[in-house]
Amino acid sequence: MNKIKYGLSAKKIISGIITFFCILHVFAKSNKSVTPDSEAAVKALAGVERKAQKPTEGVYYSLFVRSFADSNKDGIGDLKGIIQKLDYLNDGKDETTTDLGVTGIWLLPIFPSSSYHGYNVDDYYDVNPEYGTLADFELLAKECKKRGIALIIDMTCNHASSSNEWFIKSRNPDSPYRDWFRWVSDEDAAKGLVNLKQKVFGHNVWNVELENPGKTSDGKDNYYYYAGVFDPSMPDFNLDCRAVREEFKKIFKFWMDKGTTGFRFDAASHAYNAAELKIGEKGLEKAVGFWKEMNDYIKSVNPDSYCVCEVWENAATRARYIAGVPSNFQFDLGGQIASMINNQEMNEKQNLAEDADGSAYNGYARSLESLYQLYSSFNKDYINAPFLSNHDQARSAALFRNKADKMKLAADLYILTEGIPFVYYGEEIAMKSGADDPSKRTPMLWKPNGKDKNQTKWTDHPLYSSANRYNMRTESVAEQQKDSDSLLNHYKRVIRVKTAHPALFRGRLKAYSLGSPVIESYVMDCDEEKAFVIHNVSSMNTVDVKLPDDLNMPMVYAANPAAKIENGTLSIPPLSSVVLASRK
């Protein structure tokens, strides 16, 4: 009896071992790493080897934590929600194609704040409790690092919150924090040092403090006023104060120790706003000096760090700030690209002839080269930061009349330029907005409306609910993942080619005309590689152009698979791009 039982048990054990190894074999086979297929990636979505590795290389993704992903079903996006969605942004595996492929993330403000947007900071050393904890942030940074994702956070050095402890203490004229903010008095105004009636953005710059007025020499009340260029709830720092500068360095170090690889500096061109300066002060020079000091300190802590400034000004002014922080956002690029594409379509539909003699061709490429030369004159190590739209602008889909082919070309036109492109969350699925700020920051659409536990619901509040109407028909990530021809999958492709080729993420641009009024083309060159980028902005016609012998290189990207090279002639379909490249 025992022998029979023993025999049956042995058979079961042997059978179990065989089954285990069969399952293990199948599992190993199904999870075997697939070598990236750069040849297939030329005309279709396929894995490629990512070579952009540093925080100063690649493509960044800008996201509003409140709207991105909700992990605890309270309706508000949080840091744990981002962690759950990291594999969508970049899973760390070159061979896969389910992720977007970005190499960096910029988090809009994460600090405690009384506002939904977070740009008035109550405490620079903590996380908004609606978003999570410092431990959650450290975990996010750790998970980003595992995937090769750089992480930068929004930093507001221009102003704090009126609820910030430093500002509350500064209300006392005898406080050591008094000099941390810009305070003036009736007496200063009487001396002509300041104009208390100065207005910016439709409101007063100077806000009266009715408590504890001082006395003038003749015994009259001498009221005090603090500067708030953006809003009375956002008192402006006095950046001439050495204690303020040293405090910000402590703040930078604090967050870098927790895994941050850099910062996006908010309102950089307002650091010494002319509206709040005393007579004779030179704001721009002081601002550039301040940002250079901050950037130099950050680089001393981490030489590979990346910082970028918001300088929403004309190109000449932006270039001046490049001397302080080498990277600035290229504002108005989205409008420039939209005008070029839409005007070309209108001209073609109206059969308007191109009467240029050829000297006016390649205008987009030439404008980029001119801008970069301007930047270089102030800092040869500049890093351009192009984008289509951001959290302060109406979403870019409207610029391109919600047409997918235009949005795909627009993606190529900015991502395949110099520097670090920034993709605003939801732009890759053509999310839409109105002109008001809440509608520009509505919930990320992971699945069709009403079918996603991670979709945030903070805009269901009566104050913001009208913002929800803009994306009722927008196709979600889940829907676009299944469509090989979707805008989302196009973004995956162009981001992959950008991060796979050193000439594209490290190279300098030089315009190179192919003699066609509808072709925009330029060479991207670095020590390792040369690339030739060609865009057909025609909405109707395939264009054939003869390639110069020295630029007749292998095709590494064709947005439209119908693109081809035969006998040195490139045939490029309408509203599409091609990249040729060769290692040196």
Side-chain angles (χ1 to χ4, degrees), residues 37 40 50 58 128 174 190-191 263 271 303 327 332 339 352 356 438 457 539:
D37 190 343
R50 184 178 77 183
N128 186 330
D174 298 322
K191 293 176 182 178
F263 304 92
S327 190
D332 304 323
S339 293
L352 296 180
K457 296 180 174 59
S539 63

Side-chain angles (χ1 to χ4, degrees), residues 462-483:
L463 281 176
Y464 312 112
S465 59
S466 62
N468 290 333
R469 70 180 185 273
Y470 294 99
N471 287 292
M472 297 301 292
R473 297 183 180 180
T474 302
E475 287 193 335
S476 66
V477 169
E479 293 167 295
Q480 293 200 31
Q481 290 274 32
K482 300 173 184 177
D483 179 3

Side-chain angles (χ1 to χ4, degrees), residues 518-551:
V518 296
I519 295 294
E520 293 289 339
S521 51
Y522 45 86
V523 174
M524 298 282 287
D525 205 344
C526 69
D527 292 341
E528 304 159 64
E529 185 184 41
K530 178 187 285 187
F532 190 28
V533 182
I534 307 106
H535 308 281
N536 181 2
V537 300
S538 168
S539 63
M540 300 171 62
N541 301 311
T542 294
V543 178
D544 295 330
V545 286
K546 184 70 176 176
L547 295 170
D549 291 340
D550 61 331
L551 295 176

Side-chain angles (χ1 to χ4, degrees), residues 4-286:
I4 294 174
K5 284 185 177 180
Y6 177 80
L8 290 173
S9 298
K11 286 181 180 179
K12 288 181 179 180
I13 291 171
I14 293 170
S15 175
I17 292 173
I18 293 171
T19 301
F20 171 78
F21 278 105
C22 286
I23 293 172
L24 186 63
H25 174 73
V26 171
F27 179 83
K29 185 176 180 180
S30 65
N31 286 273
K32 183 180 179 181
S33 293
V34 179
T35 302
D37 190 343
S38 57
E39 186 173 338
V42 174
K43 296 194 174 185
L45 178 59
V48 294
E49 181 185 358
R50 184 178 77 183
K51 295 180 181 175
Q53 301 291 336
K54 298 179 180 180
T56 52
E57 300 172 340
V59 178
Y60 275 65
Y61 191 84
S62 166
L63 67 87
F64 184 39
V65 180
R66 185 174 298 274
S67 284
F68 197 62
D70 176 16
S71 71
N72 59 5
K73 301 182 181 63
D74 66 353
I76 296 173
D78 46 52
L79 298 176
K80 287 183 177 179
I82 298 173
I83 294 171
Q84 292 174 3
K85 295 297 185 180
L86 278 181
D87 282 350
Y88 165 76
L89 297 174
N90 191 326
D91 61 13
K93 301 172 184 177
D94 289 350
E95 67 272 14
T96 61
T97 59
T98 53
D99 60 325
L100 195 55
V102 296
T103 60
I105 301 172
W106 155 30
L107 300 182
L108 273 66
I110 61 171
F111 308 116
S113 173
S114 59
S115 66
Y116 84 92
H117 53 72
Y119 280 100
N120 45 342
V121 178
D122 290 343
D123 183 353
Y124 285 87
Y125 291 97
D126 205 353
V127 168
N128 186 330
E130 292 181 317
Y131 294 170
T133 65
L134 283 170
D136 293 336
F137 180 85
E138 289 179 289
L139 179 59
L140 171 61
K142 182 179 179 181
E143 291 298 321
C144 283
K145 187 174 182 179
K146 283 199 309 192
R147 293 164 174 80
I149 302 173
L151 180 63
I152 68 174
I153 62 174
D154 221 314
M155 185 61 64
T156 310
C157 299
N158 178 71
H159 53 265
S161 163
S162 56
S163 300
N164 187 293
E165 182 182 359
W166 301 333
F167 179 72
I168 293 172
K169 290 180 178 179
S170 83
R171 290 181 182 273
N172 180 350
D174 298 322
S175 168
Y177 289 93
R178 184 67 164 188
D179 195 39
W180 282 43
F181 297 87
R182 290 190 173 275
W183 287 95
V184 297
S185 67
D186 285 325
E187 202 164 33
D188 292 324
K191 293 176 182 178
L193 297 177
V194 64
N195 177 10
L196 294 177
K197 296 181 179 180
Q198 180 74 50
K199 290 183 180 291
V200 174
F201 307 132
H203 63 82
N204 288 333
V205 171
W206 297 101
N207 303 278
V208 65
E209 172 66 37
L210 295 176
E211 296 181 13
N212 302 318
K215 295 292 182 180
T216 62
S217 57
D218 58 0
K220 295 180 180 180
D221 285 340
N222 183 28
Y223 284 99
Y224 297 106
Y225 306 78
Y226 67 90
V229 166
F230 286 99
D231 191 85
S233 68
M234 299 179 177
D236 291 340
F237 283 109
N238 171 21
L239 298 178
D240 280 337
C241 177
R242 176 49 53 185
V244 170
R245 294 189 179 211
E246 295 307 313
E247 189 68 34
F248 271 115
K249 292 175 185 177
K250 292 177 185 176
I251 293 167
F252 301 153
K253 183 67 164 56
F254 176 85
W255 288 102
M256 293 170 83
D257 286 346
K258 296 195 175 301
T260 301
T261 49
F263 304 92
R264 178 264 186 185
F265 292 124
D266 177 63
S269 59
H270 292 281
Y272 284 83
N273 191 293
E276 60 190 13
L277 298 183
K278 293 183 178 179
I279 303 300
E281 285 191 85
K282 296 182 179 179
L284 194 150
E285 290 82 357
K286 282 191 168 187

Side-chain angles (χ1 to χ4, degrees), residues 346-358:
M346 179 184 68
N347 291 343
E348 289 178 335
K349 285 183 176 180
Q350 295 178 4
N351 294 316
L352 296 180
E354 175 63 56
D355 58 3
D357 60 4

Side-chain angles (χ1 to χ4, degrees), residues 328-359:
N328 262 294
F329 288 112
Q330 189 179 351
F331 278 91
D332 304 323
L333 179 65
Q336 181 185 358
I337 291 174
S339 293
M340 176 175 60
I341 295 174
N342 292 331
N343 288 343
Q344 181 60 40
E345 180 185 45
M346 179 184 68
N347 291 343
E348 289 178 335
K349 285 183 176 180
Q350 295 178 4
N351 294 316
L352 296 180
E354 175 63 56
D355 58 3
D357 60 4
S359 61

Side-chain angles (χ1 to χ4, degrees), residues 353-392:
E354 175 63 56
D355 58 3
D357 60 4
S359 61
Y361 294 168
N362 216 27
Y364 175 70
R366 287 186 291 106
S367 71
L368 292 176
E369 182 180 2
S370 177
L371 175 66
Y372 302 152
Q373 288 175 346
L374 178 61
Y375 284 173
S376 184
S377 69
F378 287 94
N379 191 333
K380 65 180 179 60
D381 297 320
Y382 72 90
I383 301 174
N384 191 43
F387 67 97
L388 289 180
S389 63
N390 68 12
H391 59 285
D392 287 322

